[in-house]
Structure formats: structure tokens, C-alpha cells
Amino acid sequence: MEPTETVYGLGANGLNAEAVAKIFAVKGRPADNPLILHIADQEQILPLTTGLNENARALMETFWPGPLTIVVPRSAIVPDIVTAGLDTVAVRMPSHPVAAALIRAAGCPIAAPSANVSGKPSATNARDVAEDMTGKIAGILDGGSCGIGVESTVVDTTSPVPTILRPGGITREMLEERLGAVEIDPALNGDPALRPKAPGMKYRHYAPQAPMYLYEGKEADLRLTQAVLRAQKQGLHVGVLCDDTVKERLEESLRRGHTAEILSWGQGKPDLAEHLYELLRDFDRVSPELIIGMGVDEKGLGLAVMNRLRKAAGYQILLAEEGGITVKSGSGFPEFLLVAEE
Ligand code: TXA
Ligand code: MG
């Protein structure tokens, strides 16, 4: 178990099928979901692939070490269990010094998924790893809290136009600046009719135990505030996910002794990315009846955090724009979330 700059990983020798099988068993991970191989030096990718094209090389040169995973054609030394039988392999060179030291000490690529039980939010600190993994693993390398907080960006370099299969720490804008055109896997917007190209993206993920609802749009903060005040009047025990500004406003408006669990990520998208998983796990510790959250725009890191937030909310999303609230996706919303007060 090692910290990386994105999230903690559950590692094993990536060229040893038996060791890799233990990862799947401990996580309860479906066998059709391939793993990322982590390396510590650029040249370490060469034996793992039958060839790197210009896009792959440009990405390695620009963003490694860092929160970017590239999907490349696999070579025969990569065990089938790592790639779930695909003819490509995902490779990443983390920038966290502890991860790099571990990979160098191991002397082999390390296969590592995020160190959470499948379906739970990824772990971004040693305590959260211990919560999911104690008794199941050999040990935890505690490198403190992860700075980025959401997983690496996964880019398929084998498609004619490089394609983002999972948004993450390296933003779409950064990729476009280096490569020109970049596509985004259309399945990422949650349409259940489309099959994501990264098998892991199809699973319900990152979900807290309580049902979660999300306000998006320009007036998300206003509508969230109003909804929480109504919930308080109805005596509901609600969890609230918001930024510092909204938290302060809510605490002023709610009467003393209120029961809302208001968890703030701080201010801005980097804070949201850094704390999102921790906060989702914290909601499970305080067990609200439901969670109401607010979204951010999709620029920069916004694409990655909104991908995670929408999944956490099971795509139960309300759009709050000037003039009212409409259902963006989902159904069966509690009535009090839909009231647009003047
Ligand atoms: O930041 C990260 O990437 C963290 C840290 C530990 O490095 N790792 C991580 O691994 O998030 P995991 O296993 O939780 O997610 C890997 C994602 C999954 O969605 C998987 O389906 C996708 O990458 N993936 C792996 N190999 C692939 C391949 N050959 N083609 C397409 N998608 C692939
Ligand atoms: Mg994961």
C-alpha cells in the first residue's frame, strides 16, 4: 500500500500474475477491470509495450512524473490478469517520492489500483486505507495526505485522436495545449446506454451510504442554501457538501442547535479535489438521512471533480439556473429539493 500524489494504491509485483490476483481478491474487484502499472523511470515502460507513438511520447515527456496514465499497446510480458485480457496496458509514473522509492526498491513495475474496497471512495490518507484494508494486507506506507486527491487522468494514446477515458489531475486543457485535439470518452457523461472504454468507469463508485443529490448551475449555492433551511424546518438530518462561503452563510442562517452536517471542501477546485473523497467518507461516519451537494463548473480540474461528484450522487442532479430548478438527470427527488423560492 503506497501513497501517490493522487490517491493511495494497493500494490503488488505487476509482472507476477499470482501477486496481482491477490489485489483483485482483497479489493473485491471485478476481473474485467484492468490495473495500472506504476513505474519510476521513463525507460521502464519500454519492455511493457510493443511500441509508443508520437502522442504517447509527447505525454510522457511533458507530464511524467505526474498524475497521468497512458494506455499503450501491451507486450507479452504483461500478465493477462493485469490488462483483463485487453491488448493494451495502462502505465503511469507517479511523482510522489515515496511511491517512486518503493517502485525502485521493488525493481519491477507495481500494479496498483486505488486502495479502497471496490465501490467506496478512494483512500487519500493512511487512516482511510486502514478503514478498508486492515487485516487484509501486509502493511501501509504512510506518506501523509495525497495532495491532488482525485485519481490520475487516463488517456488512450492508441486511438486516432488521443482520448480521455477518465478525467483526473492533468486537465483536458493541459492535454490540448500539448497535443492539439483531444477527445473525451462520450460514455463519461453518465448515459447508461454507452459503454465506457475504461472498464472501471462503468461501476457505481465513490458513493457514500446516504442518498445524495446534487445542485449544478449558476444558482446552485442559492438553491442548496434554501433547501437546507427547509430540511432543517422539517427536522431532517441532512449532510451538506459545499464550499466555505456557503458553509458560513448556512451557519449564520440556521438556528443554533441545528442538526445539519455541513462539510466544506474549502475554497476552489484544487481544495475540492483534495478533500472530496475524505468528505464523502466522513458522511458515512455521521450517517445523515440524505446528502445535498453543490457542483462547480467543468473547467480545469472541474471536469475530474464533477465526474466523481456526479457518480457519488448516482446522477441525481438538479440544474439551478436563473429562473428556477429543473431535473438534469435522475428521478424520485424529495419534493423540498425542487422548490424554487423567490
Ligand atoms: O491515480 C491513480 O491512477 C491511482 C493511483 C493508485 O495510481 N490508481 C487508480 O487505479 O486509480 P484504479 O485501478 O482504481 O483505476 C484504473 C482505471 C480503471 O478505470 C481501469 O478500468 C482503467 O484505469 N484502465 C486500466 N487499464 C486500462 C486499459 N488497458 N484500457 C482502458 N482502461 C484501463
Ligand atoms: Mg479505483
Side-chain angles (χ1 to χ4, degrees), residues 4 6-9 27 29 33-36 38 69 71 86 88-90 92 112-114 150-152 154 165-166 197-201:
T4 74
T6 56
V7 299
Y8 273 70
K27 268 198 70 133
R29 184 178 177 103
N33 192 4
L35 300 180
I36 297 170
H38 296 70
T69 296
V71 172
L86 296 176
T88 54
V89 61
R92 153 163 143 76
S114 49
V150 291
E151 300 86 344
S152 62
V154 178
L165 306 187
R166 178 178 73 180
K197 293 194 188 76
M201 298 301 278

Side-chain angles (χ1 to χ4, degrees), residues 50-220:
T50 52
L52 299 168
N53 61 24
E54 221 174 291
N55 287 330
R57 286 180 190 280
L59 290 176
M60 291 166 54
E61 188 183 290
T62 311
F63 299 111
W64 278 5
L68 177 77
T69 296
I70 61 173
V71 172
V72 298
R74 70 179 276 199
S75 73
I77 70 161
V78 180
D80 279 339
I81 187 169
V82 169
T83 67
L86 296 176
D87 52 16
T88 54
V89 61
V91 185
R92 153 163 143 76
M93 180 171 158
S95 65
H96 196 291
V98 174
L102 178 74
I103 298 162
R104 289 209 178 95
C108 61
I110 294 190
S114 49
N116 53 292
V117 167
S118 278
K120 285 192 74 172
S122 298
T124 54
N125 58 62
R127 178 194 67 168
D128 290 347
V129 176
E131 184 179 77
D132 283 15
M133 297 293 169
T134 296
K136 302 179 189 167
I137 56 166
I140 301 174
L141 259 180
D142 187 348
S145 288
C146 300
I148 295 180
V150 291
E151 300 86 344
S152 62
T153 307
V154 178
V155 175
D156 184 0
T157 67
T158 68
S159 46
V161 180
T163 305
I164 298 175
L165 306 187
R166 178 178 73 180
I170 298 293
T171 66
R172 173 191 198 161
E173 291 85 348
M174 290 160 82
L175 295 169
E176 282 172 343
E177 194 179 322
R178 182 64 183 86
L179 298 178
V182 171
E183 278 172 6
I184 299 186
D185 184 352
L188 295 188
N189 65 20
D191 181 346
L194 301 174
R195 165 184 264 268
K197 293 194 188 76
M201 298 301 278
K202 73 172 176 274
Y203 296 104
R204 194 190 139 146
H205 233 157
Y206 318 120
Q209 277 149 25
M212 180 169 171
Y213 304 93
L214 199 59
Y215 285 105
E216 294 185 10
K218 284 203 180 61
E219 300 205 326

